[in-house]
């Protein structure tokens, strides 16, 4: 099996890279593990502190809300009724946060916005608030309506007032959700109030992972005295980050390897890619496309190889073009005797009628026809000369057919400078005369229209005769395939179509259309200025 130089070099670099990588991982693994564990603990503490601050901020927001209501009651000197109405209006706007809200009158009687009232003088949170003379007090968790809540009291203050506290009952589900959403190392978070979990109602323990070594993290919730956020992580999970880092190192090495491979492949471009390109172009030459060239300014060994290839392709193209010219000349020689015979036959009949002036005109037309048709052996002539050539031919045919033939030529003067193959139109026009005008007793018409479309010239030769649809389709298939079949015999179409495709390529050629009593031959060729210079 043949192995390219590129593959050999790449395999060698891969082996060296894997050896170096293995040594690197072995040496740094111990140090990384120690450093990573310290980093893990520090980052976890920061995360727990951040979530504790989030819970503290949430409680602080409730305190600010109660404080603002107390300030409004004092500032607007609200009595008990107005104060309760105001508090209830706030409650209805914040039902998504508060389970209930109301006021506590002096003496410990609570009036709820839900319309209920009952004494709370024996409740521990009320007694503790009085004992501590605290402006803001949060109770321990209480069960109400199937969920954990806390009662928040905020002292209204002032003198000779009926209202002692504003209270709000707040469900703890939002706070418990914050704690449970700490998702790191598959641990478990919970909120403790005086060392009791608000989820389980039991003292701080490692009940979440009973059979594993546990690492615990704790942070105080500053806005609520006695509250803390605890997080428990199995010790084995903490070590998983080390394995993740090892995976990350491997991924980094893979990426590094890929980058090295890309750079290596790019470096091969100056050697391997030109050779691959030469191989591709050589395949095109083998398939017959001799116009390909390798554009390069290199001056090294590869550059000299490219120059040799270009010289070889150029010589092959010249030889191919000479072969084409010989084939075209042979086809033209096959056409000329046929033209000459028909023309001389016409001159003979005119001479027999003793019309000397018309004989001279016909001889002049014949002279023009051969002068332009031969064109000193030139392969290309101007479109203006080609039209003069076809006009001389039609004048000769007009003399022969007299009233049976009328013709017209329509063109744009700006197209006359373009060059076409000589004797391009005459075979098609002759075909229109022989197969169209010749079959009519009178009224034969031939029109030639020359237009352009983008970078192409479109020539339409129209005569007032119609072909059978089956013949038309069969002829067009043969023309498109550029095959000299039996259906094209006698129509003089194959030679023109074949010459066009031979000279300009498969994109160009001849096609027929026939409908409503008219047949049109459409020739498509590229715009050319000068000798074989495409526009």
């Amino acid at each position: 099996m043949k192995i390219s130089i590129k593959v050999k070099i790449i395999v060698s670099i891969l082996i060296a890279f894997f050896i170096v990588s293995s040594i690197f991982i072995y040496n740094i693994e111990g140090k990384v593990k120690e450093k990573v564990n310290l980093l893990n603990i520090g980052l976890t503490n920061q995360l727990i502190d951040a979530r504790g601050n989030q819970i503290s901020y949430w409680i602080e927001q409730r305190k600010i809300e109660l404080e603002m209501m107390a300030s409004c009651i004092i500032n607007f000197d609200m009595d008990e009724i107005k104060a309760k109405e105001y508090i209830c209006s706030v409650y209805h706007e914040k039902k998504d946060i508060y389970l209930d809200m109301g006021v506590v009158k002096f003496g410990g009687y609570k009036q709820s916005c839900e319309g209920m009232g009952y004494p709370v003088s024996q409740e521990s949170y009320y007694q503790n608030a009085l004992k501590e003379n605290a402006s803001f007090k949060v109770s321990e968790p209480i069960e109400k309506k199937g969920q954990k809540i806390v009662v928040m009291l905020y002292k209204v203050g002032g003198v000779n007032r009926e209202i002692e506290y504003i209270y709000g009952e707040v469900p703890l589900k939002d706070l418990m959700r914050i704690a449970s959403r700490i998702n790191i190392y598959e641990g478990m978070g919970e909120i403790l109030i005086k060392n009791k979990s608000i989820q389980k109602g039991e003292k701080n323990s490692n009940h979440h992972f009973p059979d594993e070594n546990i690492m615990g993290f704790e942070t105080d919730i500053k806005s609520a005295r006695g509250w803390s956020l605890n997080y428990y992580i199995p010790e084995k999970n903490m070590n998983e980050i080390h394995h993740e880092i090892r995976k990350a190192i491997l991924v980094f090495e893979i990426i590094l390897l890929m980058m090295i491979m890309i750079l290596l492949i790019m470096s091969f471009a100056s050697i391997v890619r030109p050779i691959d390109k030469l191989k591709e172009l050589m395949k095109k030459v083998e398939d017959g496309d001799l116009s390909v060239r390798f554009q390069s300014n290199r001056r090294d060994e590869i550059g000299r190889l490219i120059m040799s290839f270009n010289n070889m392709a150029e010589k092959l193209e010249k030889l191919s073009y000479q072969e084409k010219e010989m084939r075209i000349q042979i086809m033209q020689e096959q056409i000329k005797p046929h033209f000459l015979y028909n023309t001389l036959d016409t001159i003979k009949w005119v001479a027999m009628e003793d019309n000397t002036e018309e004989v001279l005109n016909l001889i002049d037309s014949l002279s023009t026809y051969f002068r332009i048709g031969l064109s000193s052996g030139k392969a290309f002539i101007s479109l203006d000369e080609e039209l003069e050539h076809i006009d001389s031919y039609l004048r000769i045919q007009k003399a022969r057919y007299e009233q049976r033939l009328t013709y017209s030529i329509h063109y744009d003067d700006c197209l006359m400078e373009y060059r076409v193959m000589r004797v391009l139109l005459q075979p098609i026009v002759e075909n229109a005369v022989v197969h169209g005008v010749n079959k009519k007793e009178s009224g034969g018409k031939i029109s030639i229209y020359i237009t352009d479309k983008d970078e192409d010239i479109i020539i339409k030769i129209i005569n007032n005769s119609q072909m059978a649809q089956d013949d038309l389709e069969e002829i067009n298939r043969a023309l498109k395939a550029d095959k000299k079949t039996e259906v094209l015999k006698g129509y003089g179409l194959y030679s023109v179509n074949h010459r066009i495709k031979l000279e300009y390529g498969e994109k160009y050629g001849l096609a027929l259309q026939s409908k409503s009593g008219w047949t049109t031959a459409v020739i498509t060729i590229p715009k050319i200025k000068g000798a074989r210079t495409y526009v």
Side-chain angles (χ1 to χ4, degrees):
M1 183 178 68
K2 295 181 179 179
I3 301 176
S4 66
I5 296 175
K6 180 168 66 174
V7 173
K8 291 179 180 178
I9 296 176
I10 290 175
V11 170
S12 300
I13 291 177
L14 284 175
I15 294 173
F17 181 85
F18 285 131
I19 293 173
V20 172
S21 298
S22 300
I23 296 173
F24 173 78
I25 293 175
Y26 178 81
N27 287 334
I28 70 169
E29 184 173 0
K31 295 181 180 179
V32 168
K33 185 175 182 179
E34 180 183 354
K35 298 294 182 182
V36 165
N37 285 339
L38 293 175
L39 181 62
N40 289 344
I41 293 172
L43 291 175
T44 304
N45 277 322
Q46 291 181 23
L47 177 62
I48 303 305
D49 289 344
R51 288 302 174 94
N53 290 336
Q54 185 180 355
I55 295 172
S56 180
Y57 176 78
W58 189 91
I59 296 173
E60 189 68 25
Q61 288 295 108
R62 308 288 80 75
K63 176 183 176 182
I64 292 172
E65 290 169 354
L66 296 177
E67 181 182 9
M68 290 178 63
M69 287 188 282
S71 297
C72 286
I73 291 172
I74 294 172
N75 293 337
F76 291 97
D77 197 22
M78 298 181 186
D79 58 18
E80 179 185 347
I81 296 174
K82 289 184 178 180
K84 184 179 177 183
E85 289 176 351
Y86 165 63
I87 292 171
C88 290
S89 67
V90 174
Y91 166 65
H92 288 296
E93 291 180 0
K94 294 184 176 291
K95 273 191 172 183
D96 57 329
I97 299 176
Y98 295 92
L99 185 65
D100 189 16
M101 192 177 280
V103 298
V104 178
K105 300 174 65 174
F106 281 97
Y109 190 80
K110 182 171 76 171
Q111 289 185 340
S112 168
C113 287
E114 298 292 339
M116 297 178 294
Y118 52 88
V120 294
S121 57
Q122 300 303 315
E123 297 289 343
S124 60
Y125 62 84
Y126 178 76
Q127 292 180 357
N128 289 335
L130 293 177
K131 182 178 179 180
E132 297 172 7
N133 195 25
S135 61
F136 178 71
K137 183 67 177 177
V138 181
S139 74
E140 293 185 13
I142 301 172
E143 288 281 347
K144 183 175 181 180
K145 295 182 180 181
Q147 58 181 318
K148 294 278 187 177
I149 69 166
V150 291
V151 179
M152 296 182 178
L153 297 178
Y154 194 89
K155 192 170 186 179
V156 176
V159 295
N160 299 322
R161 292 190 176 277
E162 299 174 340
I163 301 172
E164 187 175 14
Y165 292 102
I166 297 174
Y167 83 89
E169 295 179 357
V170 183
L172 292 175
K173 60 181 180 179
D174 290 336
L175 298 182
M176 289 189 289
R177 189 179 299 115
I178 293 173
S180 64
R181 283 181 178 174
I182 304 174
N183 187 16
I184 180 171
Y185 309 126
E186 298 181 359
M188 176 67 69
E190 63 181 2
I191 297 174
L192 300 181
I193 300 178
K194 294 184 179 179
N195 291 328
K196 290 184 179 181
S197 170
I198 64 175
Q199 284 96 331
K200 300 293 183 179
E202 57 190 27
K203 289 190 176 182
N204 180 15
S205 66
N206 296 338
H207 57 271
H208 302 292
F209 309 100
D211 299 326
E212 300 185 47
N213 294 327
I214 302 299
M215 296 184 66
F217 298 85
E218 181 178 4
T219 184
D220 291 335
I221 299 174
K222 298 179 179 58
S223 60
R225 184 184 301 174
W227 287 41
S228 64
L229 174 63
N230 284 37
Y231 194 72
Y232 310 103
I233 304 173
E235 189 173 353
K236 68 174 185 178
N237 292 0
M238 286 289 289
N239 293 327
E240 284 186 4
I241 189 63
H242 170 64
H243 302 300
E244 293 297 324
I245 290 178
R246 182 188 294 177
K247 291 179 182 178
I249 293 174
L250 290 175
V251 171
F252 172 77
E253 289 189 344
I254 292 172
I255 294 174
L256 180 61
L257 177 61
M258 291 176 64
M259 292 178 63
I260 292 173
M261 294 297 295
I262 291 171
L263 292 174
L264 189 60
I265 291 171
M266 290 175 64
S267 66
F268 286 151
S270 62
I271 299 174
V272 178
R273 189 178 297 171
I275 294 176
D276 289 339
K277 181 65 174 178
L278 276 173
K279 183 171 67 175
E280 178 186 341
L281 295 178
M282 187 64 73
K283 181 65 171 62
K284 290 183 178 180
V285 171
E286 291 176 355
D287 294 337
D289 185 2
L290 302 178
S291 63
V292 295
R293 299 290 185 275
F294 196 146
Q295 302 299 326
S296 175
N297 296 323
R298 298 179 61 148
R299 295 292 181 266
D300 54 10
E301 292 80 1
I302 298 293
R304 287 194 289 272
L305 180 62
I306 292 171
M307 186 181 299
S308 298
F309 168 81
N310 288 338
N311 291 337
M312 178 197 70
E314 186 176 354
K315 290 179 180 179
L316 288 174
E317 186 178 24
K318 287 180 179 179
L319 291 173
S320 176
Y321 181 75
Q322 290 172 2
E323 180 186 0
K324 289 180 182 179
E325 287 291 323
M326 292 176 64
R327 292 167 64 185
I328 291 172
Q329 288 176 12
I330 291 172
M331 284 190 293
Q332 288 179 347
E333 291 301 325
Q334 291 174 342
I335 294 171
K336 287 175 186 176
H338 178 64
F339 295 159
L340 181 59
Y341 172 79
N342 286 339
T343 304
L344 291 176
D345 185 59
T346 301
I347 294 174
K348 179 186 75 173
W349 286 103
V350 174
M352 289 176 64
E353 295 176 1
D354 199 20
N355 191 339
T356 305
E357 184 177 353
E358 188 164 356
V359 170
L360 292 175
N361 289 335
L362 285 172
I363 293 173
D364 181 62
S365 297
L366 181 62
S367 174
T368 301
Y369 171 80
F370 278 112
R371 174 178 55 82
I372 297 175
L374 294 172
S375 297
S376 302
K378 292 188 294 185
F380 286 82
I381 61 174
S382 69
L383 186 55
D384 185 47
E385 291 176 301
E386 180 66 16
L387 291 184
E388 186 179 359
H389 179 258
I390 200 62
D391 184 59
S392 65
Y393 172 79
L394 284 169
R395 287 202 306 269
I396 294 171
Q397 297 300 331
K398 173 68 175 173
R400 178 181 180 186
Y401 289 97
E402 296 180 344
Q403 301 303 318
R404 293 169 60 191
L405 170 63
T406 58
Y407 72 90
S408 60
I409 301 175
H410 310 271
Y411 56 87
D412 189 341
D413 287 335
C414 67
L415 300 176
M416 294 299 101
E417 62 178 316
Y418 293 110
R419 306 187 73 78
V420 297
M421 292 187 299
R422 62 189 169 112
V423 196
L424 176 66
L425 304 181
Q426 188 272 340
I428 307 300
V429 174
E430 181 183 16
N431 181 72
V433 172
V434 173
H435 297 283
V437 176
N438 194 43
K439 295 179 180 181
K440 292 181 176 293
E441 293 294 332
S442 63
K445 295 180 180 179
I446 295 177
S447 297
I448 301 174
Y449 293 88
I450 301 175
T451 58
D452 66 329
K453 182 179 180 182
D454 298 329
E455 302 304 321
D456 295 336
I457 294 176
I458 311 297
I459 303 173
K460 294 183 179 181
I461 302 167
I462 306 171
N463 71 90
N464 58 339
S465 64
Q466 180 148 353
M467 297 181 63
Q469 188 65 29
D470 291 344
D471 291 342
L472 180 72
E473 292 177 358
E474 191 172 355
I475 288 173
N476 277 329
R477 281 196 296 269
L479 290 173
K480 185 175 182 180
D482 194 22
K483 292 183 179 180
K484 191 174 184 179
T485 61
E486 187 66 26
V487 71
L488 292 177
K489 186 176 180 181
Y491 283 97
L493 303 175
Y494 171 76
S495 62
V496 174
N497 183 67
H498 184 65
R499 288 170 61 202
I500 293 173
K501 290 186 178 297
L502 196 64
E503 186 62 43
Y504 304 125
E506 291 298 319
K507 176 182 175 182
Y508 302 98
L510 172 66
L512 296 186
Q513 302 169 358
S514 188
K515 62 180 179 178
S516 304
W518 293 84
T519 297
T520 303
V522 182
I523 297 174
T524 305
I525 59 175
K527 292 178 179 178
I528 300 175
K529 287 184 178 179
R532 296 177 58 80
T533 303
Y534 289 76
V535 176

